[in-house]
């Protein structure tokens, strides 16, 4: 089954792109959600397994709520309060969230130095 992760912005997408296999689709909401944007997301994801990874702030919570209504079967991943959103979350924590969501086979683990 295809996997799609939905994030808020392009920096969040860049962060995850470094850590996930290229076959994982990563889509952005670009902050605002309206009917047109939701319809576009729905078209792109088709029957994919959906993962939501939003910032832990009021905007991220609002976006997560709308997306959770639209994609009722979506899996939720969370970053901690205090981190500067998904993009500012340390790689180790993001990887832990991806593992917790069951996406181990798609993670591009950084080399151990």
């Amino acid at each position: 089954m295809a996997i799609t992760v939905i994030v808020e912005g392009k920096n969040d997408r860049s962060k995850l792109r470094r850590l996930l296999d290229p076959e994982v689709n990563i889509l952005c909401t670009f902050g605002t959600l309206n009917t047109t944007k939701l319809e576009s997301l729905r078209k792109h994801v088709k029957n994919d397994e959906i993962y939501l990874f939003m910032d832990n702030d009021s905007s991220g919570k609002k976006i997560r709520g709308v997306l959770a209504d639209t994609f009722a079967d979506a899996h939720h991943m969370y970053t901690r309060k205090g981190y500067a959103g998904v993009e500012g979350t340390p790689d180790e924590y993001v990887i832990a969230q991806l593992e917790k969501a069951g996406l181990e086979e798609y993670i591009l683990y950084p080399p151990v130095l």
Side-chain angles (χ1 to χ4, degrees), residues 82-103:
Y83 288 148
V86 173
E87 70 186 74
T89 300
D91 288 356
E92 302 78 30
Y93 191 84
V94 172
I95 289 170
Q97 291 303 300
L98 295 169
E99 289 172 340
K100 188 175 177 183
L103 296 174

Side-chain angles (χ1 to χ4, degrees), residues 27-109:
L27 301 176
C28 299
T29 65
F30 296 111
T32 57
L33 288 173
N34 55 34
T35 306
T36 305
K37 183 64 179 177
L38 286 172
E39 216 32 63
S40 174
L41 287 171
R42 211 177 280 134
K43 280 183 196 173
H44 278 90
V45 303
K46 297 178 181 108
N47 296 318
D48 292 3
E49 193 166 340
I50 309 296
Y51 294 81
L52 305 177
F53 201 3
M54 309 292 125
D55 296 348
N56 193 358
D57 59 15
S58 60
S59 175
K61 290 175 184 175
K62 183 177 177 183
I63 292 168
R64 183 186 296 277
V66 172
L67 291 172
D69 287 344
T70 303
F71 304 106
D73 294 334
H75 305 274
H76 295 263
M77 295 184 289
Y78 297 90
T79 188
R80 281 190 184 149
K81 274 191 179 199
Y83 288 148
V86 173
E87 70 186 74
T89 300
D91 288 356
E92 302 78 30
Y93 191 84
V94 172
I95 289 170
Q97 291 303 300
L98 295 169
E99 289 172 340
K100 188 175 177 183
L103 296 174
E104 295 92 340
E105 68 183 280
Y106 302 101
I107 298 173
L108 301 174
Y109 290 95

